[in-house]
């Protein structure tokens, strides 16, 4: 009797992935991928999340992987289904998220023959994957098991990098696709549940000559500064020690995870909008870690400054304005720790960090004074209050467009919460699915803060949300369109009608109706002070909920400008 190779192969992949620590798999229905989807549920050790829409499935898996740091599987059938994974594959590539992308395909003899639902899937995701492999249809051959297992082990290892990212396995399956009931081709794994091949990653230790060279430069400058974006790869204790030895400020993006470190300056966006402040606070040397800052003002300020070192252990080139004078390819945390060990602790300019901190406090106070005493649900206040209301161990997923910028500017620094966003390519797509994926894999409470268009863009991701046994709260800032476009220089250059029609694009549905259609409860937040109690309440409940806060785009633009003016006035009067 012919042994069942499809079922054996799929079960072997799943077993090997479990051994490698995979916990979540997202699947979309199809026949060609049925061997793998059936194996995933038959195995029983993974959480399997079933989605109709492959785009949502992929973003959900991305959310799982972002929350857990473990590779998450997404599996779909052949044809356009595979193309629908592309947005999340790109975000995983740029955002450095481990994603195991499994597309089912026809075997070679049925490709390019007009066979149904068949496209050229080899290389479908271009240069995005860390590794791509067109996997032959499973067959019964002696020794085939070691090939299947090493393939699976290599896929997880490649997804974890460094740098982490997507891996594409294009899996050919030959009919019959359903389990035949025949004995399985055997593919025994290593004893004791070990992976076929265990990959050990050691942090590359920077060599002493490089460290000494950099440390001597750090010792020579009077005023240095760290600029940290998302993916900074620095830990708070290491930065604290460096700051204590140097007296350097850290302009910390909300997504850098460094806002609670010793030198953190969190209001740099508001500060550096004030030209005099920027001019009076020019550093002699800048260490840049992670992605460029979210703040356009900080990015512009960097344009005026020389002596900028870009540190990236993954050897990426994150320098859109071409300001880097030096690049250091080294693990940022290890490098900073080594440099610190070579510093005497003599701080060259003892006024430098206190000056930044005093300005930071003044800016923060001016912002908070502006937000106090008004019941207007201003978008900056929503961002501030959501971050403040999160319990320790919570994860906040922030949408692209204004939410990520408002969190950056208005949220008070705090520890205990993780803030993540799809900032690899800044799409407004996949938000609901990413947030729900985070909720599936994260330990603590999960809140998604998003704009209305971003929420609606992935409303299909809400399908089934009510039945997934997940807890998540969406806070949707509903300004009836893309509020960010009001901040861009279109006023006076296009007519209001043109602006509304192709930029702001007010949606033709009420998002609360849409959420309710998917079975979600919606709470309307009418005034600013109602948000925190509303969120507290939502976080004690179960399931997926939506808090909707309506705002006005024009008023929002004016309030932002007033608040930045108030910060400028506070700095000038100091
Ligand atoms: C997939 C994708 N399509 C389009 C864009 C361009 N874009 C950036 S922000 C934005 C509007 C977002 O509106 P909303 O989510 O309501 O946030 P708001 O601007 O109101 O804060 C659009 C369309 C994008 N970033 N990603
Ligand atoms: Mg909006």
């Amino acid at each position: 009797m012919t042994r069942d190779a499809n079922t054996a192969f799929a079960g072997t992949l799943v077993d090997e992935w479990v051994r490698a620590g995979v916990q979540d798999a997202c699947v979309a229905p199809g026949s060609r991928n049925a061997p793998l989807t059936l194996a995933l549920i038959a195995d029983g050790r993974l959480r399997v999340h079933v989605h109709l829409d492959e785009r949502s499935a992929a973003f959900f898996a991305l959310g799982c992987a972002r929350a857990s740091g473990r590779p998450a599987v997404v599996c779909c059938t052949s044809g356009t289904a595979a193309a629908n994974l592309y947005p999340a594959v790109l975000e995983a590539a740029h955002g450095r998220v481990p994603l195991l992308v499994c597309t089912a395909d026809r075997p070679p003899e049925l490709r390019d023959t007009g066979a149904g639902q068949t496209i050229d899937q080899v290389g479908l995701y271009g240069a995005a994957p860390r590794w791509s492999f067109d996997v032959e249809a499973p067959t019964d051959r002696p020794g085939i098991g070691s090939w299947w297992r090493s393939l699976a082990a290599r896929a997880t290892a490649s997804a974890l990098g460094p740098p982490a990212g997507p891996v594409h396995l294009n899996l050919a399956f030959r009919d019959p696709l359903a389990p035949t009931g025949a004995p399985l081709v055997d593919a025994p794994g290593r004893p004791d549940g070990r992976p076929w091949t265990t990959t050990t990653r050691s942090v590359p230790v920077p060599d002493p000559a490089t460290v000494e060279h950099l440390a001597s430069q750090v010792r020579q400058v009077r005023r240095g500064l760290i600029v940290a974006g998302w993916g900074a790869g620095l830990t708070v204790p290491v930065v604290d020690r460096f700051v204590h030895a140097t007296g350097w400020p850290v302009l910390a993006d909300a997504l850098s995870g460094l806002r609670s470190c010793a030198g953190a300056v969190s209001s740099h966006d508001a500060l550096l909008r004030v030209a005099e402040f920027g001019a009076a606070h020019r550093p002699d040397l800048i260490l840049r870690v992670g992605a460029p800052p979210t703040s356009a003002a900080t990015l512009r300020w960097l344009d005026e400054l020389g002596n900028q070192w870009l540190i990236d252990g993954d050897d990426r080139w994150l320098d859109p304005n071409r300001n880097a004078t030096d690049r250091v390819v080294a693990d940022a945390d290890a490098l900073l720790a080594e440099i610190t060990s070579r510093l005497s602790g003599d701080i060259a300019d003892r006024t430098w960090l206190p000056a930044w901190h005093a300005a930071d406090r003044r800016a923060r106070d001016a912002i908070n004074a502006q937000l106090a005493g008004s019941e207007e649900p201003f978008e900056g206040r929503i961002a501030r209050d959501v971050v403040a209301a999160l319990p320790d161990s919570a994860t906040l997923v922030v949408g692209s467009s204004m939410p990520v910028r408002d969190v950056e500017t208005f949220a008070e620094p705090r520890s205990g919460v993780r803030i993540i966003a799809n900032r690899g390519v800044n799409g407004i797509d996949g938000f609901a699915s990413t947030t729900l994926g985070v909720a599936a894999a994260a330990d603590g409470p999960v809140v998604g803060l998003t704009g209305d268009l971003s929420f609606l863009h992935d409303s299909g991701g809400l399908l089934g949300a009510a039945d997934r046994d997940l807890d998540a709260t969406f806070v949707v800032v509903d300004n009836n369109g893309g509020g960010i476009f009001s901040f861009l220089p279109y006023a006076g250059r296009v007519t209001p009608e043109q602006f509304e029609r192709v930029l702001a694009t007010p949606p033709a549905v009420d998002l609360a109706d849409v959420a309710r259609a998917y079975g979600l409860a919606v709470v309307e937040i009418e005034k600013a002070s109602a948000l925190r109690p509303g969120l507290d309440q939502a976080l004690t409940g179960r399931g997926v909920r939506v808090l909707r806060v309506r705002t006005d785009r024009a008023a929002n633009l004016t309030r932002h400008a007033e608040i930045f003016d108030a910060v400028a006035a506070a700095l000038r009067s100091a």
Side-chain angles (χ1 to χ4, degrees):
M1 190 186 341
T2 310
R3 298 200 293 178
D4 185 342
N6 284 344
T7 303
F9 169 63
T12 302
L13 291 183
V14 176
D15 180 56
E16 204 56 47
W17 289 335
V18 171
R19 291 166 184 243
V22 176
Q23 290 181 333
D24 291 280
C26 295
V27 303
S31 182
R32 194 58 52 175
N33 60 334
L36 187 51
T37 55
L38 292 169
L40 283 162
I41 56 172
D43 184 277
R45 289 174 292 172
L46 290 174
R47 292 181 291 235
V48 180
H49 315 280
V50 184
H51 297 261
L52 174 59
D53 182 334
E54 289 79 9
R55 188 178 67 172
S56 298
F59 274 111
F60 192 109
L62 182 89
C64 294
R66 272 199 187 281
S68 66
R70 296 163 182 264
V73 175
V74 56
C75 167
C76 72
T77 190
S78 61
T80 52
N84 278 292
L85 307 183
Y86 210 161
V89 170
L90 291 171
E91 178 57 34
H94 291 265
R96 309 188 202 181
V97 183
L99 201 62
L100 289 178
V101 180
C102 300
T103 55
D105 201 350
R106 296 287 192 278
E109 65 272 17
L110 289 178
R111 298 184 191 172
D112 198 17
T113 60
Q117 214 178 303
T118 306
I119 62 169
D120 184 359
Q121 294 178 194
V122 178
L124 183 62
Y125 307 116
R130 300 287 181 259
W131 189 57
S132 299
F133 206 83
D134 186 29
V135 185
E136 63 167 353
T139 55
D140 186 355
R141 284 202 307 273
I144 193 84
S146 66
W147 155 231
W148 292 346
R149 287 189 177 272
S150 73
L151 172 80
R154 180 157 180 195
T156 46
S158 299
L160 285 167
V167 161
H168 178 203
L169 297 182
N170 191 51
L171 304 169
F173 285 106
R174 204 168 269 124
D175 289 359
L177 299 169
T180 63
L184 300 183
V185 174
D186 46 47
R190 302 274 187 217
D192 307 325
R194 280 175 56 79
W196 192 260
T197 302
T198 303
T199 298
T200 303
R201 290 170 192 81
S202 77
V203 175
V205 181
D207 65 276
T210 303
V211 174
E212 184 44 44
H213 170 66
L214 300 180
S216 76
Q217 307 246 341
V218 169
R219 283 194 296 263
Q220 276 165 33
V221 297
R222 256 179 82 69
R223 299 171 154 195
L225 189 109
I226 293 178
V227 176
W230 66 261
L234 288 175
T235 54
V236 171
V238 165
V239 177
D240 282 351
R241 280 195 286 279
F242 180 82
V243 169
H244 287 134
T246 57
W248 289 19
V250 180
L251 308 195
D253 197 282
L255 303 173
S256 70
L258 293 178
R259 284 200 161 179
S260 56
C261 77
V265 173
S266 69
S267 61
H268 56 96
D269 173 63
L271 291 174
L272 292 170
R273 286 167 188 266
V274 184
E276 303 95 296
F277 178 87
H281 293 81
R282 294 162 72 101
D284 309 315
L285 172 60
I286 300 172
L287 302 190
R288 282 169 40 197
V289 284
T294 305
S295 161
T298 304
L299 209 51
R300 266 196 308 275
W301 181 67
L302 289 172
D303 282 345
E304 302 161 15
L305 306 173
N307 215 11
Q308 300 186 28
W309 300 357
L310 208 56
I311 304 176
D312 192 329
D314 292 337
D315 200 3
R316 309 313 288 257
W317 201 297
L318 302 182
D319 185 32
N321 292 10
R322 296 174 290 279
N323 291 324
T325 53
D326 295 81
R327 290 177 68 242
V328 186
V329 183
D331 179 85
D333 222 34
L335 181 67
L336 214 62
E338 287 292 327
I339 291 177
T340 308
S341 73
R342 286 161 197 262
L343 301 176
S344 64
D346 271 347
I347 294 175
D349 181 350
R350 294 200 164 268
T351 65
W352 175 238
L353 181 57
W356 276 92
H357 274 164
D360 193 32
R361 195 61 261 160
R362 228 170 281 129
R364 188 62 63 202
D365 288 346
I367 291 171
N368 285 335
Q370 285 285 315
L371 300 185
S374 162
E375 280 297 358
E376 169 207 11
F378 165 59
E379 296 183 14
R381 168 136 184 212
I382 297 167
R384 184 195 70 172
D385 291 355
V386 166
V387 172
L390 296 171
D392 277 347
S393 87
T395 304
L396 177 67
V397 187
V398 191
S400 292
S401 205
M402 290 312 288
V404 71
R405 292 177 172 80
D406 285 337
V407 165
E408 171 65 20
T409 306
F410 294 97
E412 298 240 33
R414 59 164 294 182
S415 56
V417 300
R418 179 165 53 156
I419 306 180
I420 59 182
N422 282 339
R423 293 296 286 170
V425 261
N426 304 348
I428 61 161
D429 46 353
F431 184 80
S433 302
T434 303
T435 306
L436 295 172
V438 169
D443 289 331
V446 172
V447 173
L449 174 65
T450 176
D452 52 318
L453 293 188
S454 182
F455 184 73
L456 285 169
H457 198 295
D458 187 33
S459 56
L462 302 175
L463 182 63
D467 308 318
R468 288 195 195 281
D469 195 22
L470 292 178
D471 302 324
T473 302
F474 290 98
V475 177
V476 187
V477 180
D478 184 359
N479 55 18
N480 195 32
I484 196 169
F485 297 114
S486 302
F487 290 81
L488 303 178
Y490 288 101
R493 299 186 184 187
V494 300
T495 66
E497 293 73 28
Q498 289 170 328
F499 181 85
E500 286 296 303
R501 186 152 180 224
V502 297
L503 288 155
T505 61
V509 290
D510 183 333
L511 67 90
D513 291 342
V514 173
R516 284 192 206 99
Y518 287 106
L520 306 185
V522 180
V523 174
E524 303 282 354
I525 302 294
E526 310 280 359
K527 52 183 188 175
S529 64
L531 178 60
R532 283 190 69 159
L535 197 52
D536 289 345
Q537 171 87 32
L539 290 172
T540 58
R542 305 272 345 249
V544 180
R545 297 146 303 237
V546 177
L547 305 187
R548 186 250 294 269
V549 199
R550 288 186 196 266
T551 65
D552 178 81
R553 280 188 258 126
N556 185 48
L557 178 68
T558 309
R559 284 297 283 143
H560 273 85
E562 286 169 2
I563 291 170
F564 293 129
D565 285 348
V567 171
L571 292 180
R572 284 180 192 125
S573 71

